[in-house]
Structure formats: C-alpha cells, structure tokens
Amino acid sequence: MEKNKKLQAAIAGVVQFLKQEEENNNNKKKNNNWVMAGRKIIMHNRMLVQRRDFKR
C-alpha cells in the first residue's frame, strides 16, 4: 500500500511538471511575435540609414 502511494505521488509530480513546461512554452511563443516584429523594424531602419533614404 505504501509503495502504491509513492508511485501515485511520483506520477502526479511528473504530470504537474509537464503541464508547467507546456504553459511556459506557450508563453514564450506569444512573446516571440513581439520580438520578431521588433527585429524586423530594427532591420528595416538600419537598411534605410545605410541607404540614407528616410522616405517610406
């Protein structure tokens, strides 16, 4: 009986850990869109400065 409880606790811990990892990965993907948009704007601005063409 004692061994069964320990096994159930271990499995519950692993399941909880996997849920937390999945939530963390989802949060990173949401922020990734903002990061990519910012980098795109920075690259565009650098190109304009290098060409010395500030007209859009």
Side-chain angles (χ1 to χ4, degrees):
M1 191 71 162
E2 180 74 25
K3 189 174 184 179
N4 192 18
K5 286 183 182 180
K6 288 182 180 180
L7 182 61
Q8 288 178 347
I11 292 172
V14 170
V15 170
Q16 183 64 28
F17 174 76
L18 292 175
K19 285 181 183 178
Q20 287 177 347
E21 287 295 314
E22 184 177 338
E23 288 176 3
N24 289 341
N25 288 339
N26 289 340
N27 290 337
K28 289 180 183 179
K29 289 179 183 176
K30 290 178 185 175
N31 294 338
N32 194 21
N33 291 336
W34 285 103
V35 171
M36 292 301 293
R39 288 181 182 167
K40 186 175 180 180
I41 291 170
I42 290 170
M43 288 188 294
H44 181 72
N45 289 341
R46 284 182 182 172
M47 181 189 70
L48 292 177
V49 169
Q50 288 175 354
R51 290 185 356 198
R52 299 195 191 321
D53 180 20
F54 295 102
K55 301 173 191 170
R56 287 191 177 193

